[in-house]
Amino acid sequence: MNKSNSALPQPKHPSGRQFASRIANAHFDTWRIFRIMSEFVESFEDMAELDKPLITVFGSARTPVDDRYYQEAEKLGQLLAEHGYGVITGGGGGIMEAAHKGAYNAGGETVGLNIVLPHEQRPNPYQTCSLDFRYFFVRKVNFLKYAVGVFIFPGGFGTMDEFFESLTLVQTNKVNRIPLILVGREFWQGALEWVDKTLLEHKYISPEDTELYHIVDSAEEGMAFLQECHRYGVTGTVRYDI
């Protein structure tokens, strides 16, 4: 027996709203291409002027100052600056602010790739170089294009997206392999167990894929691993053969 459509729950989805005409959308998209191009060109030119090896730090904008991971991120920023690295973050609060603060107070270079959002994102005051982005995907290219290593602290959907996209680019050899360092065993343990027991067990990934990232519990431990990775030299992500 077929049920009436009226019995189905109504989805709370914006597709129910009326959008602009196709002609208006097509006209808008044509001009948006140029805006996207200009954002790529301007950010590439600004980032190319930075001469220090840069480390990208991902993590939640919501992490409070008294949180253990905020303090570890601040300590990491300090250690990176003391060892001659610059620090790239998304430019906001929480983990991003902490990493910038530590590096800034140690006299280091701090790059903020700020995104325009209706909430949450406010540029932190510890940036020696600030770039503003309208588009997430342009910003994400800059996170990895100029990085020689990545630290990923606990975070939400955005942090998960940044970690797994970085991991995918390394796994598929679209970028050169760089250190991908997860901070916080307690936080990441459940996710990594799922990767091992579900993805690996069902052969959605290869055993060697689980070696593409490394987990640590402190800034000092992460810094030691980074130095070991860079013992014989520093490699950027960009491949010029593809």
Side-chain angles (χ1 to χ4, degrees), residues 74-127:
E74 184 175 349
K75 191 182 303 180
L76 175 66
Q78 176 185 340
L79 290 171
L80 289 170
E82 290 174 351
H83 287 84
Y85 294 96
V87 177
I88 303 175
T89 83
I95 294 298
M96 296 175 280
E97 175 186 279
H100 272 173
K101 182 179 180 182
Y104 185 89
N105 289 339
E109 190 161 46
T110 56
V111 183
L113 307 186
N114 305 281
I115 187 73
V116 177
L117 291 176
H119 58 85
E120 285 191 8
Q121 180 75 359
R122 292 183 179 179
N124 67 66
Y126 305 105
Q127 302 178 36

Side-chain angles (χ1 to χ4, degrees), residues 10-20 25:
Q10 295 299 309
K12 297 179 180 179
H13 194 274
S15 61
R17 295 197 300 261
Q18 183 177 2
F19 289 101
N25 280 335

Side-chain angles (χ1 to χ4, degrees), residues 101-206:
K101 182 179 180 182
Y104 185 89
N105 289 339
E109 190 161 46
T110 56
V111 183
L113 307 186
N114 305 281
I115 187 73
V116 177
L117 291 176
H119 58 85
E120 285 191 8
Q121 180 75 359
R122 292 183 179 179
N124 67 66
Y126 305 105
Q127 302 178 36
T128 60
C129 176
S130 297
L131 286 74
D132 295 316
F133 294 86
R134 180 187 296 265
Y135 301 105
F136 265 115
F137 62 90
V138 180
R139 178 179 181 242
K140 286 164 75 175
V141 168
N142 281 271
F143 275 134
L144 283 186
K145 178 176 169 58
Y146 299 95
V148 298
V150 176
F151 281 83
I152 309 100
F153 281 79
F157 290 149
T159 302
M160 297 300 111
D161 174 52
E162 289 157 346
F163 168 50
F164 282 109
E165 179 166 352
S166 302
L167 184 57
T168 300
L169 289 171
V170 172
Q171 179 207 39
T172 56
N173 291 315
K174 286 297 182 180
V175 300
N176 293 319
R177 184 174 177 180
I178 59 173
L180 301 178
I181 305 169
L182 299 165
V183 182
R185 286 185 175 86
E186 181 181 0
F187 177 84
W188 291 105
Q189 183 176 357
L192 298 185
E193 286 180 356
W194 175 77
V195 169
D196 290 339
K197 294 181 180 179
T198 303
L199 299 187
L200 188 57
E201 184 175 311
H202 288 83
K203 299 183 179 179
Y204 293 136
I205 62 172
S206 302

